[in-house]
Amino acid sequence: MLIRNVEVEDHAEAVDVRIDGGRIAEIGAGLTGVADVDGRGGALLPGLHDHHIHLAALAAEAASVRVGPTDVRGRTAFAAALVAGSPGEWVRAVGYHESVAGELDRWVLDALAPDRPVRVQHRTGALWVWNSAALRAAGLDGDGRFWREDERLRGFVPPVRLDLEGVGRRAAALGVTGFTNADPHPASGLTQMLSVLPQRLLVMGIDEPVKLMLDDPTLPTPTQLARTIGEIRPRPVAVHCVTRVQLLVTLLALDEVGPADGDRIEHGSVIPAETIPWLRRLGVTVVTQPHFPVERAEAYAADVDVDDRPHLYRCRTLTEAGVPLAAGTDAPYGTPDPWAVMRAATEREDSERLQPLAALRLFTGEPRHPARPRRLTVGSDADLCLLHVPLREALRTLTGELVRATYVLGRRIGPA
């Protein structure tokens, strides 16, 4: 394939790009041959890679009821959403936060939707709450609250239709050529199931790195975590850190066992200033979600400890200190649109705001080394995002509407 008249980074003038065997074979002006695509001066970028996403959960949203703060307001609207379907059918509700209708347990859900099995997932993805009808159908008991028990619960619920084709199609329309699936315990056969996606895949736990979940109530000591990481070595780890204490335990453990190339901190929700030099010394990459302070501003103002608020989802302070930084959408627990994440990164308060080009590069790194930028050079894989406009214009708006075509190994996968 020959793409003519495109803007490519590191080239002062518009160039042509020849693709052969899934790789870039030539870059230059006036290449011989008939053009398959006229780029019309638009920017040709490395395809976007979402470095932290939960693909099966995102695909299940098509068969779910959204009950987050932006979807329903108050107890009455929440109840109406739960009973909108046919009586007796299982209801899978997602995105819930206590600001909608308070704390949930089986009896609260019974009062709202007594005539059908209901399960509600918290916005964090960590908690499911089932009503009595769902518990009876599964032969389970208790208060209906299940914390990080997805693996156990899978066998008790009816199959959910997964719209993976839709996930792949919508991502391709946004210029996404790759995903890193960040489930802590990948289901059996997950890689095969996800293979229907046209994008490249890295599945944590099956591929490197190995995902490690930390929760404050069950937090290991630094020595215990170091022992776990040591058993995983030489493979790198990706450690889920959403609190101050989780980050400190992780850094102490990495100090004890020694860092490995490819180690990551997932989320880095709270990064105190005094830990930034520590992160830099260890060379660990932070894969963050700069859109969460924007999407969840109201909840964070109410729920997050005042001492932690200045340290949420750092961006600029990390890059200025030389800490490797990348981003993932964390969809479906955040927007699946990487361009919206980029815009959020440029709209932060001054101390954490990124320039548009730096925000774009949060999604153009290598899958296994997310902060290491990919460049379009001869010999590189032809995973590409072609824009309608030059890069300078695209950086003013950072919107997926500017994506003209997306290619994986030179094969066009979208937009339709």
Side-chain angles (χ1 to χ4, degrees), residues 52-350:
H52 187 116
I53 191 169
H54 303 273
L55 290 163
L58 179 60
E61 278 210 322
S64 305
V65 179
R66 290 213 54 88
V67 292
T70 60
D71 306 297
V72 296
R73 289 277 183 176
R75 185 181 179 90
T76 300
F78 178 46
L82 296 180
V83 300
S86 302
E89 291 185 354
W90 276 79
V91 176
R92 184 184 193 273
V94 298
Y96 185 80
H97 182 265
E98 291 78 10
S99 60
V100 172
E103 296 282 348
L104 299 182
D105 58 24
R106 69 184 291 180
W107 300 285
V108 172
L109 290 180
D110 287 350
L112 300 174
D115 64 341
R116 67 202 69 204
V118 172
R119 53 188 178 123
V120 180
Q121 187 183 44
H122 193 269
R123 179 171 67 183
T124 61
L127 174 70
W128 282 99
V129 184
W130 292 24
N131 71 351
S132 294
L135 292 168
R136 285 194 299 270
L140 300 174
D141 203 354
D143 65 1
R145 293 168 61 86
F146 300 97
W147 178 263
R148 295 215 187 280
E149 295 194 62
D150 295 58
E151 195 171 11
R152 181 170 81 92
L153 296 177
R154 285 187 190 119
F156 293 109
V157 296
V160 174
R161 183 180 70 84
L162 300 182
D163 182 24
L164 287 167
E165 291 80 3
V167 168
R169 182 175 61 254
R170 289 186 290 272
L174 295 170
V176 176
T177 59
F179 297 114
T180 294
N181 191 78
D183 297 349
H185 304 291
S188 175
L190 178 65
T191 300
Q192 182 176 359
M193 180 180 73
L194 296 179
S195 65
V196 302
L197 293 165
Q199 285 84 7
R200 305 275 204 123
L201 288 171
L202 187 153
V203 178
M204 285 187 184
I206 297 171
D207 306 311
E208 295 179 354
V210 177
K211 177 78 175 287
L212 294 177
M213 290 295 302
L214 298 183
D215 289 307
D216 285 1
T218 58
L219 196 63
T221 67
T223 297
Q224 289 169 336
L225 182 58
R227 187 179 304 120
T228 298
I229 295 173
E231 292 169 353
I232 291 168
R233 292 295 193 234
R235 292 177 294 168
V237 294
V239 188
H240 169 100
C241 292
V242 297
T243 65
R244 181 187 296 246
V245 67
Q246 290 170 18
L247 179 66
L248 292 174
V249 166
T250 299
L251 295 180
L252 287 166
L254 289 174
D255 255 348
E256 184 172 336
V257 75
D261 186 34
D263 281 343
R264 299 164 45 150
I265 299 294
E266 301 302 306
H267 308 299
S269 306
V270 181
I271 298 182
E274 60 269 21
T275 66
I276 295 176
W278 199 351
L279 285 163
R280 179 182 179 180
R281 177 171 57 79
L282 288 169
V284 64
T285 297
V286 175
V287 179
T288 191
Q289 286 75 45
H291 51 309
F292 280 178
V294 177
E295 291 182 357
R296 305 177 178 182
E298 185 176 336
Y300 282 1
D303 300 343
V304 175
D305 188 287
V306 66
D307 291 335
D308 284 341
R309 289 176 200 166
H311 311 299
L312 291 175
Y313 296 95
R314 290 183 179 275
C315 289
R316 181 176 170 183
T317 50
L318 294 181
T319 59
E320 288 181 344
V323 176
L325 183 71
T329 63
D330 200 26
Y333 313 115
T335 176
D337 180 355
W339 297 94
V341 178
M342 297 176 211
R343 289 196 302 275
T346 67
E347 295 166 1
R348 301 284 301 277
E349 295 182 1
D350 287 347

